[in-house]
PDB file of all heavy atoms in Angstrom:
ATOM      1  N   TRP A   9      52.651  81.846 113.820  1.00 77.00           N
ATOM      2  CA  TRP A   9      53.644  80.779 114.027  1.00 77.00           C
ATOM      3  C   TRP A   9      54.862  80.978 113.118  1.00 77.00           C
ATOM      4  O   TRP A   9      56.005  80.844 113.569  1.00 77.00           O
ATOM      5  CB  TRP A   9      52.990  79.433 113.717  1.00 77.00           C
ATOM      6  CG  TRP A   9      53.935  78.263 113.903  1.00 77.00           C
ATOM      7  CD1 TRP A   9      54.205  77.611 115.053  1.00 77.00           C
ATOM      8  CD2 TRP A   9      54.708  77.644 112.879  1.00 77.00           C
ATOM      9  NE1 TRP A   9      55.124  76.611 114.835  1.00 77.00           N
ATOM     10  CE2 TRP A   9      55.454  76.610 113.508  1.00 77.00           C
ATOM     11  CE3 TRP A   9      54.862  77.847 111.505  1.00 77.00           C
ATOM     12  CZ2 TRP A   9      56.323  75.795 112.799  1.00 77.00           C
ATOM     13  CZ3 TRP A   9      55.730  77.041 110.812  1.00 77.00           C
ATOM     14  CH2 TRP A   9      56.449  76.028 111.443  1.00 77.00           C
ATOM     15  N   LYS A  31      86.418  88.591 114.521  1.00 64.00           N
ATOM     16  CA  LYS A  31      87.781  88.429 114.009  1.00 64.00           C
ATOM     17  C   LYS A  31      87.719  88.285 112.500  1.00 64.00           C
ATOM     18  O   LYS A  31      87.138  87.331 111.982  1.00 64.00           O
ATOM     19  CB  LYS A  31      88.449  87.191 114.628  1.00 64.00           C
ATOM     20  CG  LYS A  31      89.880  86.977 114.131  1.00 64.00           C
ATOM     21  CD  LYS A  31      90.476  85.714 114.717  1.00 64.00           C
ATOM     22  CE  LYS A  31      91.874  85.477 114.164  1.00 64.00           C
ATOM     23  NZ  LYS A  31      92.450  84.195 114.652  1.00 64.00           N
ATOM     24  N   ALA A  55     103.457  85.304 112.623  1.00 75.00           N
ATOM     25  CA  ALA A  55     104.078  86.187 113.616  1.00 75.00           C
ATOM     26  C   ALA A  55     105.169  87.033 112.972  1.00 75.00           C
ATOM     27  O   ALA A  55     105.285  88.241 113.239  1.00 75.00           O
ATOM     28  CB  ALA A  55     104.652  85.357 114.759  1.00 75.00           C
ATOM     29  N   PRO A 160     145.623  90.040 123.782  1.00 88.00           N
ATOM     30  CA  PRO A 160     146.755  90.145 122.853  1.00 88.00           C
ATOM     31  C   PRO A 160     146.460  89.605 121.460  1.00 88.00           C
ATOM     32  O   PRO A 160     147.021  90.093 120.480  1.00 88.00           O
ATOM     33  CB  PRO A 160     147.845  89.338 123.560  1.00 88.00           C
ATOM     34  CG  PRO A 160     147.135  88.456 124.514  1.00 88.00           C
ATOM     35  CD  PRO A 160     145.931  89.206 124.963  1.00 88.00           C
ATOM     36  N   LEU A 163     141.080  89.221 119.754  1.00 91.00           N
ATOM     37  CA  LEU A 163     139.886  88.448 119.384  1.00 91.00           C
ATOM     38  C   LEU A 163     138.627  89.314 119.426  1.00 91.00           C
ATOM     39  O   LEU A 163     137.707  89.129 118.628  1.00 91.00           O
ATOM     40  CB  LEU A 163     139.744  87.250 120.329  1.00 91.00           C
ATOM     41  CG  LEU A 163     140.851  86.190 120.231  1.00 91.00           C
ATOM     42  CD1 LEU A 163     140.645  85.109 121.292  1.00 91.00           C
ATOM     43  CD2 LEU A 163     140.894  85.574 118.838  1.00 91.00           C
ATOM     44  N   SER A 256      87.840 104.316  97.743  1.00 71.00           N
ATOM     45  CA  SER A 256      87.353 105.504  97.041  1.00 71.00           C
ATOM     46  C   SER A 256      86.607 105.114  95.772  1.00 71.00           C
ATOM     47  O   SER A 256      85.494 105.604  95.516  1.00 71.00           O
ATOM     48  CB  SER A 256      88.536 106.413  96.706  1.00 71.00           C
ATOM     49  OG  SER A 256      88.110 107.511  95.939  1.00 71.00           O
ATOM     50  N   PHE A 305      83.058  78.997 112.467  1.00 82.00           N
ATOM     51  CA  PHE A 305      84.494  79.028 112.142  1.00 82.00           C
ATOM     52  C   PHE A 305      85.336  79.873 113.100  1.00 82.00           C
ATOM     53  O   PHE A 305      86.552  79.759 113.105  1.00 82.00           O
ATOM     54  CB  PHE A 305      84.705  79.543 110.709  1.00 82.00           C
ATOM     55  CG  PHE A 305      84.141  78.641 109.660  1.00 82.00           C
ATOM     56  CD1 PHE A 305      82.870  78.867 109.148  1.00 82.00           C
ATOM     57  CD2 PHE A 305      84.857  77.559 109.182  1.00 82.00           C
ATOM     58  CE1 PHE A 305      82.329  78.036 108.171  1.00 82.00           C
ATOM     59  CE2 PHE A 305      84.334  76.724 108.212  1.00 82.00           C
ATOM     60  CZ  PHE A 305      83.063  76.958 107.699  1.00 82.00           C
ATOM     61  N   LEU A 383      58.045  84.362 104.809  1.00 82.00           N
ATOM     62  CA  LEU A 383      57.305  84.383 106.069  1.00 82.00           C
ATOM     63  C   LEU A 383      56.830  85.770 106.473  1.00 82.00           C
ATOM     64  O   LEU A 383      55.755  85.917 107.070  1.00 82.00           O
ATOM     65  CB  LEU A 383      58.176  83.802 107.192  1.00 82.00           C
ATOM     66  CG  LEU A 383      58.616  82.344 107.021  1.00 82.00           C
ATOM     67  CD1 LEU A 383      59.501  81.921 108.188  1.00 82.00           C
ATOM     68  CD2 LEU A 383      57.402  81.416 106.901  1.00 82.00           C
ATOM     69  N   LEU A 390      50.960  96.153 101.707  1.00 67.00           N
ATOM     70  CA  LEU A 390      51.628  96.714 100.528  1.00 67.00           C
ATOM     71  C   LEU A 390      50.694  97.658  99.780  1.00 67.00           C
ATOM     72  O   LEU A 390      49.571  97.293  99.413  1.00 67.00           O
ATOM     73  CB  LEU A 390      52.067  95.591  99.597  1.00 67.00           C
ATOM     74  CG  LEU A 390      53.102  94.628 100.199  1.00 67.00           C
ATOM     75  CD1 LEU A 390      53.410  93.514  99.218  1.00 67.00           C
ATOM     76  CD2 LEU A 390      54.366  95.372 100.565  1.00 67.00           C
ATOM     77  N   ARG A 414      59.913  82.608  65.623  1.00 75.00           N
ATOM     78  CA  ARG A 414      59.421  82.323  64.276  1.00 75.00           C
ATOM     79  C   ARG A 414      60.586  82.093  63.310  1.00 75.00           C
ATOM     80  O   ARG A 414      60.506  81.270  62.398  1.00 75.00           O
ATOM     81  CB  ARG A 414      58.543  83.482  63.790  1.00 75.00           C
ATOM     82  CG  ARG A 414      57.213  83.589  64.521  1.00 75.00           C
ATOM     83  CD  ARG A 414      56.265  84.562  63.835  1.00 75.00           C
ATOM     84  NE  ARG A 414      56.752  85.943  63.952  1.00 75.00           N
ATOM     85  CZ  ARG A 414      56.418  86.759  64.946  1.00 75.00           C
ATOM     86  NH1 ARG A 414      55.620  86.323  65.912  1.00 75.00           N
ATOM     87  NH2 ARG A 414      56.884  87.991  64.987  1.00 75.00           N
ATOM     88  N   ASN A 467     120.093 100.491 100.467  1.00 85.00           N
ATOM     89  CA  ASN A 467     120.352  99.473 101.493  1.00 85.00           C
ATOM     90  C   ASN A 467     121.148  98.293 100.944  1.00 85.00           C
ATOM     91  O   ASN A 467     121.926  97.675 101.658  1.00 85.00           O
ATOM     92  CB  ASN A 467     119.028  98.967 102.094  1.00 85.00           C
ATOM     93  CG  ASN A 467     118.476  99.909 103.131  1.00 85.00           C
ATOM     94  OD1 ASN A 467     119.046 100.075 104.200  1.00 85.00           O
ATOM     95  ND2 ASN A 467     117.357 100.541 102.808  1.00 85.00           N
ATOM     96  N   GLY A 499     127.218  76.544 100.435  1.00 92.00           N
ATOM     97  CA  GLY A 499     127.437  75.881  99.150  1.00 92.00           C
ATOM     98  C   GLY A 499     126.796  76.654  98.010  1.00 92.00           C
ATOM     99  O   GLY A 499     127.381  76.805  96.930  1.00 92.00           O
ATOM    100  N   SER A 551     151.393  89.476 133.360  1.00 55.00           N
ATOM    101  CA  SER A 551     150.165  90.260 133.392  1.00 55.00           C
ATOM    102  C   SER A 551     149.169  89.755 132.361  1.00 55.00           C
ATOM    103  O   SER A 551     147.981  89.624 132.620  1.00 55.00           O
ATOM    104  CB  SER A 551     150.483  91.737 133.133  1.00 55.00           C
ATOM    105  OG  SER A 551     149.300  92.491 133.044  1.00 55.00           O
ATOM    106  N   LEU A 570     126.158  83.071 124.900  1.00 91.00           N
ATOM    107  CA  LEU A 570     125.111  83.932 124.350  1.00 91.00           C
ATOM    108  C   LEU A 570     123.884  83.125 123.957  1.00 91.00           C
ATOM    109  O   LEU A 570     124.000  81.998 123.456  1.00 91.00           O
ATOM    110  CB  LEU A 570     125.624  84.656 123.109  1.00 91.00           C
ATOM    111  CG  LEU A 570     126.276  86.026 123.254  1.00 91.00           C
ATOM    112  CD1 LEU A 570     126.799  86.468 121.898  1.00 91.00           C
ATOM    113  CD2 LEU A 570     125.292  87.052 123.793  1.00 91.00           C
ATOM    114  N   LEU A 576     121.580  92.393 124.335  1.00 84.00           N
ATOM    115  CA  LEU A 576     122.398  92.686 123.162  1.00 84.00           C
ATOM    116  C   LEU A 576     122.440  94.180 122.918  1.00 84.00           C
ATOM    117  O   LEU A 576     121.488  94.896 123.254  1.00 84.00           O
ATOM    118  CB  LEU A 576     121.819  91.978 121.924  1.00 84.00           C
ATOM    119  CG  LEU A 576     121.605  90.465 122.033  1.00 84.00           C
ATOM    120  CD1 LEU A 576     120.850  89.960 120.813  1.00 84.00           C
ATOM    121  CD2 LEU A 576     122.929  89.736 122.178  1.00 84.00           C
ATOM    122  N   ASP A 594     104.481  75.024 121.345  1.00 84.00           N
ATOM    123  CA  ASP A 594     105.477  74.328 122.164  1.00 84.00           C
ATOM    124  C   ASP A 594     106.824  74.223 121.458  1.00 84.00           C
ATOM    125  O   ASP A 594     107.687  73.442 121.869  1.00 84.00           O
ATOM    126  CB  ASP A 594     104.972  72.929 122.534  1.00 84.00           C
ATOM    127  CG  ASP A 594     104.685  72.073 121.304  1.00 84.00           C
ATOM    128  OD1 ASP A 594     104.677  72.629 120.183  1.00 84.00           O
ATOM    129  OD2 ASP A 594     104.463  70.859 121.472  1.00 84.00           O
ATOM    130  N   GLN A 612     113.095  75.621  97.669  1.00 88.00           N
ATOM    131  CA  GLN A 612     112.517  74.325  98.011  1.00 88.00           C
ATOM    132  C   GLN A 612     113.594  73.244  98.055  1.00 88.00           C
ATOM    133  O   GLN A 612     113.590  72.391  98.945  1.00 88.00           O
ATOM    134  CB  GLN A 612     111.436  73.945  96.985  1.00 88.00           C
ATOM    135  CG  GLN A 612     110.272  74.920  96.882  1.00 88.00           C
ATOM    136  CD  GLN A 612     109.345  74.856  98.079  1.00 88.00           C
ATOM    137  OE1 GLN A 612     109.389  73.895  98.848  1.00 88.00           O
ATOM    138  NE2 GLN A 612     108.518  75.868  98.251  1.00 88.00           N
ATOM    139  N   VAL A 621     113.370  72.288 108.817  1.00 91.00           N
ATOM    140  CA  VAL A 621     113.579  73.410 107.900  1.00 91.00           C
ATOM    141  C   VAL A 621     112.464  73.405 106.864  1.00 91.00           C
ATOM    142  O   VAL A 621     112.220  72.384 106.214  1.00 91.00           O
ATOM    143  CB  VAL A 621     114.955  73.332 107.205  1.00 91.00           C
ATOM    144  CG1 VAL A 621     115.107  74.479 106.208  1.00 91.00           C
ATOM    145  CG2 VAL A 621     116.075  73.374 108.239  1.00 91.00           C
ATOM    146  N   ALA A 632      99.254  78.989  93.690  1.00 77.00           N
ATOM    147  CA  ALA A 632      98.964  77.618  93.273  1.00 77.00           C
ATOM    148  C   ALA A 632      97.685  77.112  93.931  1.00 77.00           C
ATOM    149  O   ALA A 632      96.849  76.459  93.296  1.00 77.00           O
ATOM    150  CB  ALA A 632     100.143  76.710  93.604  1.00 77.00           C
TER     151      ALA A 632
END
Side-chain angles (χ1 to χ4, degrees):
W9 180 85
K31 180 183 177 184
L163 294 176
S256 175
F305 295 95
L383 299 178
L390 297 177
R414 290 191 292 269
N467 280 292
S551 175
L570 269 175
L576 306 172
D594 59 349
Q612 300 288 344
V621 177

